[in-house]
Amino acid sequence: MPIHPSGLTLQISRQTESTPPTTMNQGLKCIVIDDEPLARELIKSYVEKTPGLTLNGCYESAAEAVKSVVAGDADVVFLDIEMPMINGIDFAEVIPPRTRIVYITAYERYAIQGFKVNALDYLLKPVSYPEFMKAVGKAVEWCAMRDRFENASKSSPELFTIKADHRIIQLKTDTILYVEVRKDRVIFYRTEGEPLSSFMSLSELEELLPADKFMRVHRSYIVNLKNIEIVERKRIVFGKTYIPIAESRCEEFFSRLGK
């Protein structure tokens, strides 16, 4: 069972053109973005013939697609990298945290950059249908886990579910001191126990944690306001750790802390 760079444990059976994954009945919303007509039409045809996939848009540039993507019209975006005006790596910055990317390109040199922006997969042109289906399988797995996490958080706001160290772990939100982002993962520091690492973006995490308890104080940190005891010179002190408060967030932070 391979471990993908996205942090998900994946179990994908071999697929043929006539046997899409059985998990597809939950459905995935898809958007295709590629400036090459033949490549774009190929992926579009794969989406349209695969049960459980819905094509919500097919665009020749990121600029054309941005409104639909930002609105959350896709669970997965099949995205070219080398495109005019906005390339696929830069466009990843505006893609919502609930949406995942499958990069499709003719150049292997972009693979590492692709995984740094939480891409689920990286496919080289021309893409075969079995390769496409493997990427779809990863998207199905990720979306199912995303939905489980969100439902668990909504049903019990005192608990937060993460996938860490190849385990599903439920944390009590009150035990989280702060969360730090490191490259493609986040680290949970707690009142007790060792830190826990999970593959997730800080923006995605920010959406899932209770907004009345947690605040993003810096591009690399989210803190639990209820567990703050010391603030020193625009820095939050947790033991020997000093967390900077961004200048742009100081006013909101001190206002919320006072309340």
Side-chain angles (χ1 to χ4, degrees):
M1 188 177 296
I3 304 298
H4 188 262
S6 67
L8 299 181
T9 303
L10 305 172
Q11 185 173 15
I12 302 172
S13 58
R14 294 182 179 178
Q15 304 293 334
T16 66
E17 294 201 11
S18 60
T19 57
T22 56
T23 50
M24 291 310 302
N25 56 9
Q26 61 186 310
L28 283 182
K29 299 178 294 182
C30 304
I31 285 178
V32 179
I33 309 172
D34 198 320
D35 65 323
E36 296 181 19
L38 291 178
R40 184 171 66 250
E41 289 301 314
L42 178 65
I43 301 302
K44 176 185 175 183
S45 70
Y46 287 168
V47 172
E48 290 178 332
K49 77 176 183 179
T50 304
L53 297 187
T54 300
L55 183 67
N56 275 2
C58 191
Y59 304 94
E60 62 178 325
S61 73
E64 289 182 356
V66 65
K67 184 176 181 180
S68 181
V69 171
V70 170
D73 291 343
D75 293 306
V76 58
V77 177
F78 295 94
L79 181 62
D80 188 19
I81 292 182
E82 287 211 343
M83 296 183 293
M85 296 179 65
I86 306 174
N87 66 44
I89 300 294
D90 291 338
F91 187 63
E93 297 295 324
V94 304
I95 292 179
R98 296 187 81 258
T99 301
R100 278 298 179 266
I101 301 167
V102 173
Y103 277 121
I104 298 175
T105 181
Y107 305 98
E108 289 189 30
R109 66 177 182 270
Y110 290 116
I112 294 177
Q113 287 177 276
F115 288 131
K116 283 184 178 179
V117 294
N118 289 328
L120 278 178
D121 212 340
Y122 182 98
L123 305 178
L124 290 176
K125 299 177 181 179
V127 179
S128 70
Y129 189 65
E131 289 173 326
F132 171 83
M133 291 306 297
K134 287 181 179 179
V136 168
K138 294 175 184 179
V140 169
E141 182 83 10
W142 186 87
C143 288
M145 183 174 294
R146 175 201 67 189
D147 294 343
R148 286 198 299 271
F149 287 177
E150 291 181 352
N151 290 336
S153 297
K154 289 176 182 177
S155 61
S156 180
E158 300 305 315
L159 294 175
F160 182 72
T161 307
I162 65 169
K163 187 175 190 303
D165 306 320
H166 315 310
R167 297 172 293 164
I168 301 295
I169 299 174
Q170 282 195 325
L171 299 178
K172 291 183 178 179
T173 54
D174 286 345
T175 67
I176 300 173
L177 290 173
Y178 65 95
V179 188
E180 178 186 9
V181 63
R182 292 185 185 176
K183 295 183 179 180
D184 56 354
R185 66 177 63 201
V186 293
I187 314 295
F188 292 83
Y189 294 87
R190 302 177 290 162
T191 54
E192 296 180 359
E194 294 296 317
L196 296 173
S197 171
S198 180
F199 283 90
M200 186 185 303
S201 72
L202 203 61
S203 296
E204 179 182 355
L205 177 63
E206 196 173 14
E207 285 194 358
L208 298 177
L209 287 170
D212 61 325
K213 293 183 179 181
F214 291 84
M215 178 181 171
R216 187 169 185 169
V217 296
H218 184 273
R219 66 177 180 274
S220 299
Y221 295 97
I222 291 178
V223 298
N224 187 338
L225 296 169
K226 295 185 180 296
N227 282 332
I228 294 175
E229 295 182 356
I230 302 173
V231 180
E232 175 186 297
R233 297 177 184 176
K234 296 183 181 180
R235 297 182 301 176
I236 301 164
V237 183
F238 288 113
K240 296 182 179 180
T241 301
Y242 290 79
I243 295 175
I245 306 168
E247 192 66 35
S248 61
R249 299 178 185 268
C250 277
E251 184 176 351
E252 179 188 356
F253 171 75
F254 285 109
S255 173
R256 293 185 62 181
L257 194 65
K259 291 178 182 179

